[in-house]
Coordinates of all heavy atoms in Angstrom, one line a residue:
M1 N 7.3 9.9 -14.5 CA 7.1 8.4 -14.2 C 6.0 8.3 -13.3 O 5.8 9.0 -12.4 CB 8.4 7.9 -13.7 CG 8.4 6.4 -13.9 SD 10.1 5.6 -13.9 CE 10.6 6.0 -12.3
S2 N 5.1 7.4 -13.7 CA 3.9 7.1 -12.7 C 4.2 5.7 -12.1 O 5.0 5.0 -12.5 CB 2.7 7.1 -13.5 OG 2.7 6.2 -14.6
M3 N 3.3 5.4 -11.2 CA 3.4 4.1 -10.5 C 2.1 3.5 -10.4 O 1.0 4.2 -10.4 CB 4.1 4.3 -9.2 CG 3.3 5.0 -8.1 SD 4.1 5.3 -6.6 CE 3.7 7.0 -6.4
K4 N 2.1 2.2 -10.2 CA 0.9 1.5 -10.0 C 1.1 0.6 -8.7 O 2.1 -0.1 -8.5 CB 0.6 0.6 -11.2 CG -0.6 -0.2 -11.1 CD -1.1 -0.9 -12.3 CE -2.5 -1.4 -12.2 NZ -2.6 -2.8 -12.7
V5 N 0.1 0.7 -7.8 CA 0.3 -0.1 -6.6 C -0.6 -1.2 -6.6 O -1.8 -1.2 -7.0 CB -0.1 0.9 -5.4 CG1 0.0 0.1 -4.1 CG2 0.6 2.2 -5.4
I6 N -0.1 -2.4 -6.1 CA -0.9 -3.6 -6.1 C -0.8 -4.2 -4.7 O 0.3 -4.2 -4.2 CB -0.3 -4.6 -7.1 CG1 -0.6 -4.1 -8.5 CG2 -1.1 -6.0 -6.9 CD1 0.4 -4.8 -9.5
V7 N -1.9 -4.5 -4.1 CA -2.0 -5.1 -2.8 C -2.4 -6.6 -2.9 O -3.5 -6.8 -3.5 CB -2.8 -4.4 -1.8 CG1 -2.9 -5.1 -0.5 CG2 -2.3 -2.9 -1.6
D8 N -1.7 -7.5 -2.5 CA -2.1 -8.8 -2.6 C -2.9 -9.2 -1.2 O -2.4 -9.3 -0.2 CB -0.8 -9.7 -2.5 CG -1.2 -11.3 -2.5 OD1 -2.3 -11.6 -2.4 OD2 -0.2 -12.1 -2.7
L9 N -4.3 -9.1 -1.4 CA -5.1 -9.3 -0.3 C -5.1 -10.6 0.3 O -5.5 -10.8 1.4 CB -6.5 -8.8 -0.6 CG -6.7 -7.3 -0.9 CD1 -8.1 -7.0 -1.4 CD2 -6.4 -6.5 0.3
Q10 N -4.6 -11.6 -0.4 CA -4.4 -13.0 0.1 C -3.3 -12.9 1.2 O -3.4 -13.6 2.2 CB -4.1 -14.0 -1.0 CG -4.9 -14.1 -2.1 CD -6.1 -15.1 -1.9 OE1 -6.8 -15.1 -0.9 NE2 -6.2 -16.0 -2.8
A11 N -2.3 -12.1 0.8 CA -1.1 -12.1 1.7 C -1.3 -11.2 2.9 O -0.8 -11.4 3.9 CB 0.1 -11.6 0.9
C12 N -2.1 -10.1 2.6 CA -2.3 -9.0 3.7 C -2.9 -9.5 5.0 O -3.8 -10.3 4.9 CB -3.2 -8.0 3.1 SG -3.7 -6.7 4.3
Q13 N -2.2 -9.2 6.0 CA -2.7 -9.7 7.3 C -3.3 -8.6 8.1 O -3.5 -8.7 9.4 CB -1.5 -10.2 8.1 CG -0.8 -11.4 7.5 CD -1.7 -12.6 7.3 OE1 -2.4 -12.9 8.3 NE2 -1.7 -13.3 6.2
G14 N -3.5 -7.4 7.5 CA -4.1 -6.3 8.2 C -3.3 -5.6 9.3 O -3.9 -5.1 10.3
Y15 N -2.1 -5.5 9.1 CA -1.3 -5.0 10.1 C -1.3 -3.4 10.1 O -0.9 -2.8 11.2 CB 0.3 -5.3 10.0 CG 0.6 -6.8 10.1 CD1 1.0 -7.5 9.1 CD2 0.4 -7.3 11.4 CE1 1.2 -8.9 9.3 CE2 0.6 -8.7 11.5 CZ 1.1 -9.5 10.5 OH 1.3 -10.8 10.7
A16 N -1.8 -2.8 9.1 CA -2.0 -1.4 9.0 C -0.8 -0.6 9.0 O -0.9 0.6 9.0 CB -3.0 -0.9 10.1
C17 N 0.3 -1.2 8.8 CA 1.6 -0.4 8.7 C 1.6 0.5 7.5 O 2.1 1.6 7.5 CB 2.8 -1.3 8.6 SG 2.8 -2.7 9.7
C18 N 1.0 0.0 6.4 CA 0.9 0.7 5.2 C 0.2 2.0 5.4 O 0.6 3.1 4.8 CB 0.3 -0.1 4.1 SG -1.3 -0.8 4.5
M19 N -0.9 2.0 6.0 CA -1.7 3.3 6.2 C -1.0 4.3 7.1 O -1.2 5.5 7.0 CB -3.1 3.0 6.7 CG -3.3 2.3 8.1 SD -4.9 2.2 8.5 CE -5.4 4.0 9.0
M20 N -0.1 3.8 8.0 CA 0.7 4.7 8.8 C 1.7 5.5 7.9 O 2.0 6.6 8.1 CB 1.5 4.0 9.9 CG 0.7 3.0 10.7 SD -0.1 3.8 12.1 CE -0.6 2.3 12.9
E21 N 2.2 4.8 6.9 CA 3.3 5.3 6.1 C 2.7 6.2 5.0 O 3.2 7.1 4.6 CB 4.1 4.2 5.4 CG 4.8 3.3 6.4 CD 5.8 4.1 7.2 OE1 6.5 4.9 6.7 OE2 6.0 3.7 8.4
A22 N 1.5 5.8 4.4 CA 0.9 6.5 3.3 C -0.6 6.5 3.4 O -1.3 5.8 2.8 CB 1.3 5.8 2.0
P23 N -1.1 7.4 4.4 CA -2.5 7.4 4.6 C -3.4 7.8 3.5 O -4.6 7.5 3.5 CB -2.7 8.4 5.9 CG -1.4 9.1 5.9 CD -0.3 8.2 5.2
A24 N -2.8 8.5 2.5 CA -3.6 8.9 1.4 C -3.8 7.8 0.4 O -4.7 7.8 -0.4 CB -2.9 10.1 0.6
V25 N -3.0 6.8 0.5 CA -3.1 5.7 -0.5 C -3.7 4.3 0.1 O -4.4 3.7 -0.6 CB -1.6 5.3 -0.9 CG1 -1.7 4.2 -1.9 CG2 -1.0 6.6 -1.6
F26 N -3.4 4.1 1.5 CA -3.9 3.0 2.1 C -4.8 3.2 3.2 O -4.6 4.1 4.0 CB -2.8 2.1 2.6 CG -1.8 1.7 1.6 CD1 -0.7 2.5 1.4 CD2 -2.0 0.6 0.8 CE1 0.4 2.1 0.5 CE2 -1.1 0.3 -0.2 CZ 0.1 1.1 -0.3
D27 N -5.9 2.5 3.4 CA -6.8 2.5 4.5 C -6.9 1.1 5.0 O -6.5 0.2 4.4 CB -8.1 3.1 4.2 CG -8.9 3.6 5.4 OD1 -8.4 3.4 6.5 OD2 -9.9 4.2 5.2
L28 N -7.6 0.9 6.1 CA -7.7 -0.5 6.6 C -9.2 -0.8 6.7 O -10.0 -0.1 7.4 CB -7.0 -0.7 7.9 CG -7.1 -2.1 8.5 CD1 -6.2 -3.0 7.7 CD2 -6.6 -2.1 10.0
D29 N -9.7 -1.9 6.2 CA -11.0 -2.4 6.5 C -10.9 -3.2 7.8 O -10.5 -4.4 7.8 CB -11.4 -3.3 5.3 CG -12.8 -3.8 5.4 OD1 -13.3 -3.9 6.6 OD2 -13.5 -4.3 4.5
E30 N -11.4 -2.6 8.8 CA -11.1 -3.3 10.2 C -11.9 -4.5 10.3 O -11.5 -5.5 11.0 CB -11.5 -2.3 11.3 CG -10.4 -1.2 11.4 CD -10.6 -0.2 12.5 OE1 -11.3 -0.6 13.4 OE2 -10.2 0.9 12.4
S31 N -13.1 -4.6 9.8 CA -13.9 -5.8 9.8 C -13.3 -7.0 9.1 O -13.3 -8.1 9.5 CB -15.4 -5.6 9.5 OG -15.4 -5.1 8.2
A32 N -12.8 -6.6 7.9 CA -12.1 -7.7 7.1 C -10.7 -7.9 7.5 O -10.2 -9.0 7.2 CB -12.2 -7.3 5.6
G33 N -10.1 -7.0 8.2 CA -8.6 -7.1 8.5 C -7.8 -7.1 7.3 O -6.8 -7.7 7.2
K34 N -8.1 -6.2 6.3 CA -7.4 -6.1 5.1 C -7.3 -4.7 4.8 O -8.1 -3.9 5.1 CB -8.2 -6.8 3.9 CG -8.4 -8.4 4.1 CD -7.1 -9.2 4.0 CE -7.5 -10.6 4.2 NZ -6.3 -11.5 4.1
A35 N -6.2 -4.4 4.1 CA -5.9 -3.1 3.5 C -6.9 -2.8 2.4 O -7.5 -3.6 1.7 CB -4.5 -3.1 2.9
I36 N -7.2 -1.4 2.4 CA -8.0 -0.9 1.3 C -7.2 0.0 0.5 O -6.5 0.9 1.0 CB -9.2 -0.1 1.8 CG1 -10.2 -0.9 2.6 CG2 -10.0 0.6 0.6 CD1 -11.2 -0.2 3.4
L37 N -7.0 -0.2 -0.9 CA -6.2 0.6 -1.7 C -7.1 1.8 -2.1 O -8.0 1.6 -2.9 CB -5.7 -0.2 -2.9 CG -4.7 0.5 -3.8 CD1 -3.5 0.9 -3.1 CD2 -4.3 -0.5 -4.9
L38 N -6.7 3.0 -1.6 CA -7.6 4.2 -2.0 C -7.2 4.7 -3.3 O -8.0 5.4 -4.0 CB -7.3 5.3 -0.9 CG -7.7 4.9 0.6 CD1 -7.2 5.9 1.5 CD2 -9.1 4.7 0.7
Q39 N -5.9 4.5 -3.7 CA -5.5 5.1 -5.0 C -4.6 4.0 -5.7 O -3.6 3.7 -5.1 CB -4.6 6.3 -4.9 CG -5.3 7.5 -4.1 CD -4.3 8.7 -4.3 OE1 -3.8 9.1 -5.2 NE2 -4.0 9.2 -3.1
E40 N -5.0 3.6 -6.9 CA -4.2 2.5 -7.5 C -3.0 3.2 -8.3 O -1.9 2.5 -8.4 CB -5.0 1.8 -8.6 CG -4.5 0.4 -8.9 CD -5.6 -0.3 -9.8 OE1 -6.8 -0.3 -9.6 OE2 -5.1 -0.9 -10.8
T41 N -3.1 4.4 -8.7 CA -2.1 5.1 -9.4 C -1.8 6.4 -8.7 O -2.2 7.4 -9.2 CB -2.4 5.3 -10.9 OG1 -3.7 6.0 -11.0 CG2 -2.5 3.9 -11.6
P42 N -1.2 6.4 -7.6 CA -0.8 7.7 -6.9 C 0.1 8.6 -7.6 O 0.8 8.1 -8.4 CB -0.2 7.2 -5.6 CG -0.3 5.7 -5.4 CD -0.6 5.2 -6.9
T43 N 0.0 9.9 -7.3 CA 0.8 10.8 -8.0 C 2.3 10.7 -7.4 O 2.5 10.2 -6.3 CB 0.4 12.3 -7.8 OG1 0.0 12.4 -6.4 CG2 -0.9 12.5 -8.7
D44 N 3.3 11.1 -8.2 CA 4.7 11.0 -7.8 C 5.0 11.5 -6.5 O 6.0 11.1 -5.9 CB 5.6 11.5 -8.9 CG 5.9 10.5 -10.0 OD1 5.8 9.2 -9.7 OD2 6.4 10.8 -11.1
D45 N 4.4 12.5 -6.1 CA 4.7 13.2 -4.8 C 4.5 12.1 -3.7 O 5.0 12.4 -2.5 CB 4.0 14.5 -4.6 CG 2.5 14.3 -4.7 OD1 2.0 13.7 -5.7 OD2 1.7 14.8 -3.7
L46 N 3.7 11.1 -3.9 CA 3.5 10.1 -2.9 C 4.5 9.0 -3.0 O 4.3 8.0 -2.1 CB 2.0 9.6 -3.0 CG 0.9 10.7 -2.6 CD1 -0.5 10.2 -3.0 CD2 0.9 11.1 -1.1
R47 N 5.4 9.0 -3.9 CA 6.2 7.8 -4.1 C 7.1 7.4 -2.9 O 7.1 6.2 -2.5 CB 7.1 8.1 -5.3 CG 8.1 7.0 -5.5 CD 8.9 7.2 -6.8 NE 8.1 7.2 -8.0 CZ 7.8 6.2 -8.7 NH1 8.4 5.0 -8.4 NH2 7.1 6.3 -9.7
A48 N 7.6 8.4 -2.1 CA 8.4 8.0 -1.1 C 7.6 7.3 0.0 O 8.0 6.3 0.7 CB 9.0 9.3 -0.5
Q49 N 6.3 7.8 0.2 CA 5.5 7.2 1.2 C 5.1 5.8 0.8 O 5.0 4.9 1.6 CB 4.1 8.0 1.3 CG 4.3 9.3 2.1 CD 3.0 10.1 2.3 OE1 2.0 9.4 2.4 NE2 3.0 11.4 2.4
V50 N 4.8 5.6 -0.5 CA 4.3 4.3 -1.0 C 5.4 3.3 -1.0 O 5.2 2.2 -0.5 CB 3.8 4.5 -2.5 CG1 3.6 3.1 -3.0 CG2 2.5 5.2 -2.5
D51 N 6.7 3.8 -1.3 CA 7.8 3.0 -1.2 C 8.0 2.4 0.3 O 8.3 1.3 0.5 CB 9.1 3.6 -1.7 CG 9.1 3.6 -3.2 OD1 8.4 2.8 -3.8 OD2 9.9 4.4 -3.8
S52 N 7.9 3.4 1.2 CA 8.1 3.0 2.5 C 7.1 2.1 3.1 O 7.3 1.1 3.8 CB 8.5 4.1 3.5 OG 7.4 4.9 3.8
A53 N 5.8 2.3 2.6 CA 4.7 1.4 2.9 C 5.0 -0.1 2.5 O 4.9 -1.0 3.2 CB 3.4 1.9 2.3
A54 N 5.5 -0.2 1.3 CA 5.8 -1.5 0.7 C 7.0 -2.1 1.5 O 7.0 -3.3 1.7 CB 6.2 -1.3 -0.8
R55 N 7.9 -1.2 1.9 CA 9.1 -1.8 2.7 C 8.7 -2.3 4.0 O 9.2 -3.3 4.5 CB 10.1 -0.6 2.8 CG 11.5 -1.1 3.0 CD 12.5 -0.1 2.7 NE 12.1 1.2 3.2 CZ 12.0 2.4 2.6 NH1 12.3 2.4 1.3 NH2 11.6 3.5 3.1
V56 N 7.7 -1.5 4.7 CA 7.4 -2.0 6.1 C 6.3 -3.0 6.2 O 6.1 -3.6 7.2 CB 6.9 -0.7 6.9 CG1 8.1 0.3 7.0 CG2 5.6 -0.2 6.5
C57 N 5.7 -3.3 5.1 CA 4.6 -4.3 5.2 C 5.2 -5.7 5.7 O 6.0 -6.3 4.9 CB 3.9 -4.4 3.8 SG 2.7 -5.9 3.9
P58 N 4.7 -6.1 6.8 CA 5.3 -7.4 7.4 C 4.9 -8.6 6.4 O 5.6 -9.6 6.5 CB 4.6 -7.5 8.7 CG 4.0 -6.2 9.0 CD 3.7 -5.6 7.7
A59 N 3.8 -8.5 5.7 CA 3.3 -9.6 4.8 C 3.9 -9.5 3.5 O 3.7 -10.4 2.6 CB 1.9 -9.6 4.8
R60 N 4.7 -8.5 3.1 CA 5.2 -8.2 1.8 C 4.1 -8.3 0.8 O 4.3 -8.9 -0.3 CB 6.4 -9.2 1.4 CG 7.5 -9.2 2.4 CD 8.8 -9.2 1.6 NE 10.0 -8.9 2.6 CZ 10.4 -7.6 2.8 NH1 9.8 -6.6 2.3 NH2 11.4 -7.5 3.6
A61 N 3.0 -7.6 1.1 CA 1.8 -7.8 0.3 C 1.7 -6.6 -0.7 O 0.8 -6.6 -1.6 CB 0.5 -7.8 1.2
I62 N 2.6 -5.6 -0.6 CA 2.4 -4.4 -1.5 C 3.6 -4.5 -2.6 O 4.8 -4.7 -2.3 CB 2.7 -3.1 -0.6 CG1 1.5 -3.1 0.4 CG2 2.6 -1.9 -1.5 CD1 1.7 -2.0 1.5
T63 N 3.1 -4.4 -3.8 CA 4.0 -4.3 -4.9 C 3.8 -2.9 -5.6 O 2.7 -2.4 -5.8 CB 3.7 -5.3 -6.0 OG1 3.6 -6.6 -5.3 CG2 4.7 -5.3 -7.0
V64 N 4.9 -2.3 -5.9 CA 4.9 -1.0 -6.6 C 5.6 -1.2 -8.0 O 6.7 -1.6 -8.1 CB 5.6 0.1 -5.9 CG1 5.4 1.5 -6.6 CG2 5.1 0.2 -4.4
E65 N 4.7 -1.0 -9.0 CA 5.3 -1.1 -10.5 C 5.5 0.3 -10.9 O 4.6 1.2 -10.8 CB 4.1 -1.8 -11.3 CG 4.1 -3.2 -11.1 CD 3.0 -3.9 -11.9 OE1 2.4 -3.3 -12.7 OE2 3.0 -5.2 -11.9
N66 N 6.6 0.4 -11.6 CA 6.9 1.8 -12.2 C 6.5 1.7 -13.6 O 6.7 0.8 -14.4 CB 8.4 2.0 -12.1 CG 8.9 2.1 -10.8 OD1 8.3 2.9 -10.0 ND2 10.1 1.6 -10.4
G67 N 5.7 2.8 -14.0 CA 5.0 2.9 -15.3 C 5.8 3.9 -16.1 O 6.8 4.5 -15.7
Ligands
LIG101 S1 1.0 -3.3 5.9 FE1 0.7 -5.1 4.6 S2 -0.3 -6.6 5.8 FE2 -0.5 -4.7 6.8 S3 -2.5 -3.9 6.1 FE3 -0.9 -3.1 4.8 S4 -0.8 -4.5 3.0 FE4 -1.8 -5.5 4.7

């Protein structure tokens, strides 16, 4: 099973919690104060990290779709 990650940049407040949880998938554009999605379809070994990033995002800006 694969996954697709979506970041709602309108909702994102740049808290950077996501990059702490899954640094291979999320980075932070510090000047914009928004997340940068490094991988839209991460491999399954990153699923636990991506799920916890979605869980901790204070803005609930991260959606993970299962493909
Ligand atoms: S944790 Fe949420 S609000 Fe914070 S940078 Fe990531 S997507 Fe944006």
Side-chain angles (χ1 to χ4, degrees):
M1 198 158 59
S2 61
M3 68 185 133
K4 183 168 185 224
V5 182
I6 297 158
V7 178
D8 178 353
L9 291 177
Q10 305 269 54
C12 171
Q13 300 296 320
Y15 295 116
C17 315
C18 51
M19 61 176 285
M20 315 273 193
E21 299 298 321
V25 179
F26 303 98
D27 200 352
L28 185 70
D29 180 340
E30 287 182 25
S31 58
K34 299 286 181 183
I36 298 169
L37 188 57
L38 300 173
Q39 305 185 51
E40 203 174 316
T41 53
T43 48
D44 268 343
D45 55 312
L46 293 171
R47 178 174 294 270
Q49 287 185 28
V50 170
D51 282 345
S52 78
R55 208 165 40 239
V56 300
C57 173
R60 303 222 166 274
I62 299 170
T63 307
V64 184
E65 283 180 356
N66 294 316

